[in-house]
Amino acid sequence: MAEKLVLAGPASEELGRSLAEKLGIPLLDAEFKVFPDGESRFTTSDKVAGKSVFVVQSTHPPVDQHIFQLLLAAHQLSEQGAKVTAVVPYLAYARQDKEFLPGEGVTLGFVAHLMRHAGVRRLVTVDIHSAEGLALFSFPVYSVSAIPSLVEYAKEKLDLKDPVVISPDFGGSKRTEAFAQLYGAKFLRLNKTRDKTTGEVSVWDANLDVEGKEVVIVDDIISTGGTVKAASEAVLKQGAKKSLAICVHGLFVGDALQKLEKASVSSIVCTNTVPGKFSKVDVSEALASHLRTLEE
Ligand code: R5P
């Protein structure tokens, strides 16, 4: 059996360490450096030939830097003879999984191509934006669900009374419906449109049955906050008692938090696929359980 190692990348140091501990395998001794001009360097003196290395590196902002660090480490380790599994808790570019506007690149396909050429043999991520994205990879890729862990947290910590669980759009509705089913709550789906050029989000739904209810908005990503803001405003306008946001990947770009505050979102819960103030739910056990099942 090949010896295993975990490389905790700079974007996921804590999660990487926690995974190593849970799996009972040592951390690779390595250093990432970013030079003043923005160039990255990866150094390791460990001998990795014939070993299996889990490179744990999320790709939240600065997205391209984090992706490049992942590629750099994967390339060097694989050149030295390691079998590299990329563990990317938040997979950036997953929303660019098709040509939405004429002439637009399918960037997730390009990321998949770069990973393969860097020497990544397998990819494990958490709640990829859409299952369609999986087809763009020409090597094995697995998406682990954080939904059971989020439901467990909501049940234990949020003290909700007969909540209604809402998906802000059609795309994420399967994931949100799974949350509602596991929680044992009513599920509703909103209709959202996003202007593909400006990114402006609007939600239109006239008769939602949310009067006096606590509404939990469940989504995969909070980026600019526009989606959750629109959903929260819609349900509060229709008589909901309060709105809460639960998501897997909390990016909170720009003034996202101010937007959510303005839209009276009373509580925000995310996972630690992206480290931050709202990353209250740990996905390391869900990831570790999956990594244990992988063959050599
Ligand atoms: C879109 O389809 C996703 O599931 C999220 O709803 C979206 O990425 C959230 O982005 P933002 O916070 O910028 O509205």
Side-chain angles (χ1 to χ4, degrees), residues 202-235:
S202 45
V203 157
W204 78 93
D205 281 277
N207 296 306
L208 293 169
D209 187 12
V210 292
E211 181 78 42
K213 293 286 191 184
E214 294 179 327
V215 171
V216 185
I217 303 160
V218 178
D219 207 351
D220 60 334
I221 303 167
I222 298 179
S223 179
T224 65
T227 300
V228 169
K229 172 183 177 282
S232 174
E233 285 170 349
V235 298

mmCIF file of all heavy atoms in Angstrom, residues 202-235:
data_model
loop_
_atom_site.group_PDB
_atom_site.id
_atom_site.type_symbol
_atom_site.label_atom_id
_atom_site.label_comp_id
_atom_site.label_asym_id
_atom_site.label_seq_id
_atom_site.Cartn_x
_atom_site.Cartn_y
_atom_site.Cartn_z
ATOM 1 N N SER A 202 -32.963 39.321 -9.913
ATOM 2 C CA SER A 202 -34.317 39.623 -9.436
ATOM 3 C C SER A 202 -35.086 38.328 -9.229
ATOM 4 O O SER A 202 -34.835 37.315 -9.889
ATOM 5 C CB SER A 202 -35.058 40.566 -10.383
ATOM 6 O OG SER A 202 -34.855 40.147 -11.691
ATOM 7 N N VAL A 203 -35.991 38.412 -8.257
ATOM 8 C CA VAL A 203 -36.778 37.238 -7.879
ATOM 9 C C VAL A 203 -38.233 37.629 -8.038
ATOM 10 O O VAL A 203 -38.622 38.711 -7.626
ATOM 11 C CB VAL A 203 -36.467 36.876 -6.410
ATOM 12 C CG1 VAL A 203 -37.577 36.079 -5.784
ATOM 13 C CG2 VAL A 203 -35.151 36.116 -6.307
ATOM 14 N N TRP A 204 -39.011 36.845 -8.716
ATOM 15 C CA TRP A 204 -40.425 37.187 -8.825
ATOM 16 C C TRP A 204 -41.269 36.012 -8.367
ATOM 17 O O TRP A 204 -41.144 34.923 -8.884
ATOM 18 C CB TRP A 204 -40.792 37.596 -10.260
ATOM 19 C CG TRP A 204 -40.957 36.465 -11.206
ATOM 20 C CD1 TRP A 204 -42.105 35.813 -11.525
ATOM 21 C CD2 TRP A 204 -39.928 35.796 -11.931
ATOM 22 N NE1 TRP A 204 -41.869 34.810 -12.423
ATOM 23 C CE2 TRP A 204 -40.534 34.770 -12.674
ATOM 24 C CE3 TRP A 204 -38.536 35.949 -12.018
ATOM 25 C CZ2 TRP A 204 -39.820 33.923 -13.500
ATOM 26 C CZ3 TRP A 204 -37.821 35.087 -12.844
ATOM 27 C CH2 TRP A 204 -38.458 34.115 -13.566
ATOM 28 N N ASP A 205 -42.042 36.205 -7.339
ATOM 29 C CA ASP A 205 -42.948 35.176 -6.862
ATOM 30 C C ASP A 205 -44.041 35.863 -6.085
ATOM 31 O O ASP A 205 -43.788 36.494 -5.049
ATOM 32 C CB ASP A 205 -42.225 34.169 -5.957
ATOM 33 C CG ASP A 205 -41.435 33.177 -6.760
ATOM 34 O OD1 ASP A 205 -42.036 32.205 -7.225
ATOM 35 O OD2 ASP A 205 -40.235 33.404 -6.951
ATOM 36 N N ALA A 206 -45.242 35.746 -6.560
ATOM 37 C CA ALA A 206 -46.329 36.504 -5.972
ATOM 38 C C ALA A 206 -46.905 35.870 -4.712
ATOM 39 O O ALA A 206 -47.028 36.537 -3.685
ATOM 40 C CB ALA A 206 -47.418 36.706 -7.006
ATOM 41 N N ASN A 207 -47.196 34.584 -4.769
ATOM 42 C CA ASN A 207 -47.924 33.996 -3.642
ATOM 43 C C ASN A 207 -47.145 32.901 -2.936
ATOM 44 O O ASN A 207 -47.378 31.728 -3.135
ATOM 45 C CB ASN A 207 -49.260 33.433 -4.140
ATOM 46 C CG ASN A 207 -50.130 34.544 -4.667
ATOM 47 O OD1 ASN A 207 -50.382 35.518 -3.962
ATOM 48 N ND2 ASN A 207 -50.534 34.417 -5.913
ATOM 49 N N LEU A 208 -46.239 33.315 -2.099
ATOM 50 C CA LEU A 208 -45.473 32.319 -1.350
ATOM 51 C C LEU A 208 -46.177 32.082 -0.020
ATOM 52 O O LEU A 208 -46.593 33.043 0.636
ATOM 53 C CB LEU A 208 -44.068 32.858 -1.068
ATOM 54 C CG LEU A 208 -43.156 33.059 -2.271
ATOM 55 C CD1 LEU A 208 -41.927 33.853 -1.853
ATOM 56 C CD2 LEU A 208 -42.745 31.710 -2.833
ATOM 57 N N ASP A 209 -46.257 30.834 0.378
ATOM 58 C CA ASP A 209 -46.933 30.522 1.631
ATOM 59 C C ASP A 209 -45.921 30.606 2.783
ATOM 60 O O ASP A 209 -45.463 29.579 3.305
ATOM 61 C CB ASP A 209 -47.530 29.110 1.489
ATOM 62 C CG ASP A 209 -48.400 28.761 2.676
ATOM 63 O OD1 ASP A 209 -48.712 29.670 3.466
ATOM 64 O OD2 ASP A 209 -48.739 27.567 2.814
ATOM 65 N N VAL A 210 -45.563 31.841 3.160
ATOM 66 C CA VAL A 210 -44.528 32.008 4.186
ATOM 67 C C VAL A 210 -44.990 32.912 5.337
ATOM 68 O O VAL A 210 -44.198 33.247 6.221
ATOM 69 C CB VAL A 210 -43.219 32.591 3.584
ATOM 70 C CG1 VAL A 210 -42.555 31.591 2.655
ATOM 71 C CG2 VAL A 210 -43.472 33.902 2.847
ATOM 72 N N GLU A 211 -46.252 33.285 5.351
ATOM 73 C CA GLU A 211 -46.806 34.197 6.364
ATOM 74 C C GLU A 211 -46.463 33.717 7.784
ATOM 75 O O GLU A 211 -46.754 32.578 8.155
ATOM 76 C CB GLU A 211 -48.345 34.224 6.165
ATOM 77 C CG GLU A 211 -49.109 35.137 7.114
ATOM 78 C CD GLU A 211 -49.004 36.605 6.705
ATOM 79 O OE1 GLU A 211 -49.093 36.892 5.496
ATOM 80 O OE2 GLU A 211 -48.830 37.440 7.622
ATOM 81 N N GLY A 212 -45.793 34.545 8.543
ATOM 82 C CA GLY A 212 -45.459 34.235 9.941
ATOM 83 C C GLY A 212 -44.388 33.163 10.114
ATOM 84 O O GLY A 212 -44.128 32.701 11.219
ATOM 85 N N LYS A 213 -43.740 32.763 9.007
ATOM 86 C CA LYS A 213 -42.790 31.640 9.077
ATOM 87 C C LYS A 213 -41.338 32.110 9.210
ATOM 88 O O LYS A 213 -40.975 33.206 8.759
ATOM 89 C CB LYS A 213 -42.877 30.810 7.784
ATOM 90 C CG LYS A 213 -44.189 30.101 7.613
ATOM 91 C CD LYS A 213 -44.256 28.927 8.552
ATOM 92 C CE LYS A 213 -45.438 28.039 8.218
ATOM 93 N NZ LYS A 213 -45.576 26.949 9.176
ATOM 94 N N GLU A 214 -40.522 31.222 9.757
ATOM 95 C CA GLU A 214 -39.077 31.427 9.725
ATOM 96 C C GLU A 214 -38.612 30.778 8.420
ATOM 97 O O GLU A 214 -38.874 29.590 8.190
ATOM 98 C CB GLU A 214 -38.419 30.754 10.918
ATOM 99 C CG GLU A 214 -38.821 31.416 12.230
ATOM 100 C CD GLU A 214 -38.191 30.744 13.438
ATOM 101 O OE1 GLU A 214 -37.987 29.516 13.407
ATOM 102 O OE2 GLU A 214 -37.927 31.460 14.403
ATOM 103 N N VAL A 215 -37.941 31.563 7.591
ATOM 104 C CA VAL A 215 -37.560 31.061 6.270
ATOM 105 C C VAL A 215 -36.046 30.868 6.201
ATOM 106 O O VAL A 215 -35.279 31.781 6.523
ATOM 107 C CB VAL A 215 -38.018 32.039 5.168
ATOM 108 C CG1 VAL A 215 -37.438 31.626 3.813
ATOM 109 C CG2 VAL A 215 -39.538 32.066 5.087
ATOM 110 N N VAL A 216 -35.653 29.667 5.788
ATOM 111 C CA VAL A 216 -34.231 29.378 5.646
ATOM 112 C C VAL A 216 -33.912 29.333 4.160
ATOM 113 O O VAL A 216 -34.424 28.482 3.431
ATOM 114 C CB VAL A 216 -33.873 28.016 6.293
ATOM 115 C CG1 VAL A 216 -32.371 27.797 6.237
ATOM 116 C CG2 VAL A 216 -34.368 27.942 7.722
ATOM 117 N N ILE A 217 -33.081 30.255 3.700
ATOM 118 C CA ILE A 217 -32.676 30.293 2.288
ATOM 119 C C ILE A 217 -31.404 29.453 2.167
ATOM 120 O O ILE A 217 -30.405 29.750 2.826
ATOM 121 C CB ILE A 217 -32.396 31.746 1.841
ATOM 122 C CG1 ILE A 217 -33.646 32.616 2.076
ATOM 123 C CG2 ILE A 217 -31.948 31.806 0.387
ATOM 124 C CD1 ILE A 217 -33.349 34.106 2.134
ATOM 125 N N VAL A 218 -31.461 28.390 1.374
ATOM 126 C CA VAL A 218 -30.297 27.499 1.259
ATOM 127 C C VAL A 218 -29.752 27.576 -0.168
ATOM 128 O O VAL A 218 -30.484 27.383 -1.134
ATOM 129 C CB VAL A 218 -30.672 26.039 1.606
ATOM 130 C CG1 VAL A 218 -29.464 25.118 1.438
ATOM 131 C CG2 VAL A 218 -31.198 25.946 3.043
ATOM 132 N N ASP A 219 -28.451 27.855 -0.281
ATOM 133 C CA ASP A 219 -27.822 27.967 -1.599
ATOM 134 C C ASP A 219 -26.419 27.366 -1.531
ATOM 135 O O ASP A 219 -25.889 27.133 -0.451
ATOM 136 C CB ASP A 219 -27.741 29.458 -1.989
ATOM 137 C CG ASP A 219 -27.749 29.660 -3.500
ATOM 138 O OD1 ASP A 219 -27.645 28.670 -4.252
ATOM 139 O OD2 ASP A 219 -27.860 30.822 -3.938
ATOM 140 N N ASP A 220 -25.820 27.137 -2.694
ATOM 141 C CA ASP A 220 -24.452 26.596 -2.661
ATOM 142 C C ASP A 220 -23.420 27.686 -2.371
ATOM 143 O O ASP A 220 -22.480 27.467 -1.611
ATOM 144 C CB ASP A 220 -24.099 25.831 -3.952
ATOM 145 C CG ASP A 220 -24.184 26.671 -5.219
ATOM 146 O OD1 ASP A 220 -24.941 27.658 -5.228
ATOM 147 O OD2 ASP A 220 -23.494 26.339 -6.198
ATOM 148 N N ILE A 221 -23.614 28.868 -2.989
ATOM 149 C CA ILE A 221 -22.598 29.922 -2.880
ATOM 150 C C ILE A 221 -23.255 31.243 -2.492
ATOM 151 O O ILE A 221 -24.326 31.576 -3.006
ATOM 152 C CB ILE A 221 -21.901 30.139 -4.255
ATOM 153 C CG1 ILE A 221 -21.269 28.834 -4.764
ATOM 154 C CG2 ILE A 221 -20.850 31.245 -4.198
ATOM 155 C CD1 ILE A 221 -20.837 28.887 -6.230
ATOM 156 N N ILE A 222 -22.620 31.989 -1.587
ATOM 157 C CA ILE A 222 -22.953 33.409 -1.471
ATOM 158 C C ILE A 222 -21.722 34.139 -1.978
ATOM 159 O O ILE A 222 -20.639 34.034 -1.398
ATOM 160 C CB ILE A 222 -23.278 33.844 -0.021
ATOM 161 C CG1 ILE A 222 -24.507 33.095 0.510
ATOM 162 C CG2 ILE A 222 -23.521 35.367 0.024
ATOM 163 C CD1 ILE A 222 -24.881 33.451 1.947
ATOM 164 N N SER A 223 -21.880 34.845 -3.078
ATOM 165 C CA SER A 223 -20.743 35.578 -3.631
ATOM 166 C C SER A 223 -20.960 37.075 -3.402
ATOM 167 O O SER A 223 -20.558 37.618 -2.381
ATOM 168 C CB SER A 223 -20.598 35.248 -5.112
ATOM 169 O OG SER A 223 -19.521 35.956 -5.668
ATOM 170 N N THR A 224 -21.670 37.750 -4.283
ATOM 171 C CA THR A 224 -21.940 39.183 -4.072
ATOM 172 C C THR A 224 -23.092 39.400 -3.093
ATOM 173 O O THR A 224 -23.371 40.524 -2.694
ATOM 174 C CB THR A 224 -22.336 39.860 -5.395
ATOM 175 O OG1 THR A 224 -23.586 39.291 -5.838
ATOM 176 C CG2 THR A 224 -21.289 39.659 -6.467
ATOM 177 N N GLY A 225 -23.815 38.341 -2.763
ATOM 178 C CA GLY A 225 -24.961 38.455 -1.854
ATOM 179 C C GLY A 225 -26.257 38.816 -2.561
ATOM 180 O O GLY A 225 -27.319 38.849 -1.936
ATOM 181 N N GLY A 226 -26.179 39.081 -3.870
ATOM 182 C CA GLY A 226 -27.367 39.527 -4.613
ATOM 183 C C GLY A 226 -28.520 38.519 -4.578
ATOM 184 O O GLY A 226 -29.687 38.904 -4.441
ATOM 185 N N THR A 227 -28.202 37.245 -4.678
ATOM 186 C CA THR A 227 -29.241 36.211 -4.719
ATOM 187 C C THR A 227 -29.972 36.109 -3.384
ATOM 188 O O THR A 227 -31.210 36.147 -3.323
ATOM 189 C CB THR A 227 -28.604 34.846 -5.085
ATOM 190 O OG1 THR A 227 -27.993 34.980 -6.361
ATOM 191 C CG2 THR A 227 -29.626 33.727 -5.094
ATOM 192 N N VAL A 228 -29.208 36.007 -2.301
ATOM 193 C CA VAL A 228 -29.841 35.872 -0.980
ATOM 194 C C VAL A 228 -30.591 37.152 -0.618
ATOM 195 O O VAL A 228 -31.678 37.116 -0.038
ATOM 196 C CB VAL A 228 -28.793 35.473 0.097
ATOM 197 C CG1 VAL A 228 -29.379 35.591 1.490
ATOM 198 C CG2 VAL A 228 -28.313 34.053 -0.151
ATOM 199 N N LYS A 229 -30.042 38.282 -0.995
ATOM 200 C CA LYS A 229 -30.710 39.563 -0.725
ATOM 201 C C LYS A 229 -32.091 39.577 -1.397
ATOM 202 O O LYS A 229 -33.101 39.858 -0.749
ATOM 203 C CB LYS A 229 -29.853 40.722 -1.256
ATOM 204 C CG LYS A 229 -30.521 42.081 -1.213
ATOM 205 C CD LYS A 229 -29.592 43.132 -1.843
ATOM 206 C CE LYS A 229 -30.224 44.499 -1.908
ATOM 207 N NZ LYS A 229 -31.190 44.656 -2.990
ATOM 208 N N ALA A 230 -32.110 39.238 -2.686
ATOM 209 C CA ALA A 230 -33.385 39.264 -3.419
ATOM 210 C C ALA A 230 -34.374 38.266 -2.814
ATOM 211 O O ALA A 230 -35.568 38.567 -2.660
ATOM 212 C CB ALA A 230 -33.137 38.966 -4.893
ATOM 213 N N ALA A 231 -33.875 37.090 -2.434
ATOM 214 C CA ALA A 231 -34.760 36.066 -1.864
ATOM 215 C C ALA A 231 -35.299 36.521 -0.508
ATOM 216 O O ALA A 231 -36.498 36.375 -0.207
ATOM 217 C CB ALA A 231 -34.006 34.747 -1.717
ATOM 218 N N SER A 232 -34.432 37.105 0.310
ATOM 219 C CA SER A 232 -34.854 37.550 1.639
ATOM 220 C C SER A 232 -35.905 38.651 1.517
ATOM 221 O O SER A 232 -36.948 38.630 2.198
ATOM 222 C CB SER A 232 -33.639 38.042 2.432
ATOM 223 O OG SER A 232 -34.052 38.594 3.652
ATOM 224 N N GLU A 233 -35.663 39.620 0.635
ATOM 225 C CA GLU A 233 -36.632 40.705 0.456
ATOM 226 C C GLU A 233 -37.984 40.152 0.002
ATOM 227 O O GLU A 233 -39.031 40.577 0.473
ATOM 228 C CB GLU A 233 -36.092 41.722 -0.560
ATOM 229 C CG GLU A 233 -34.999 42.583 0.052
ATOM 230 C CD GLU A 233 -34.248 43.464 -0.963
ATOM 231 O OE1 GLU A 233 -34.430 43.272 -2.180
ATOM 232 O OE2 GLU A 233 -33.471 44.309 -0.514
ATOM 233 N N ALA A 234 -37.933 39.156 -0.905
ATOM 234 C CA ALA A 234 -39.188 38.598 -1.432
ATOM 235 C C ALA A 234 -39.999 37.916 -0.328
ATOM 236 O O ALA A 234 -41.215 38.115 -0.229
ATOM 237 C CB ALA A 234 -38.887 37.611 -2.555
ATOM 238 N N VAL A 235 -39.342 37.121 0.516
ATOM 239 C CA VAL A 235 -40.117 36.389 1.535
ATOM 240 C C VAL A 235 -40.583 37.313 2.668
ATOM 241 O O VAL A 235 -41.694 37.147 3.195
ATOM 242 C CB VAL A 235 -39.360 35.160 2.106
ATOM 243 C CG1 VAL A 235 -39.081 34.147 1.013
ATOM 244 C CG2 VAL A 235 -38.077 35.543 2.822
#
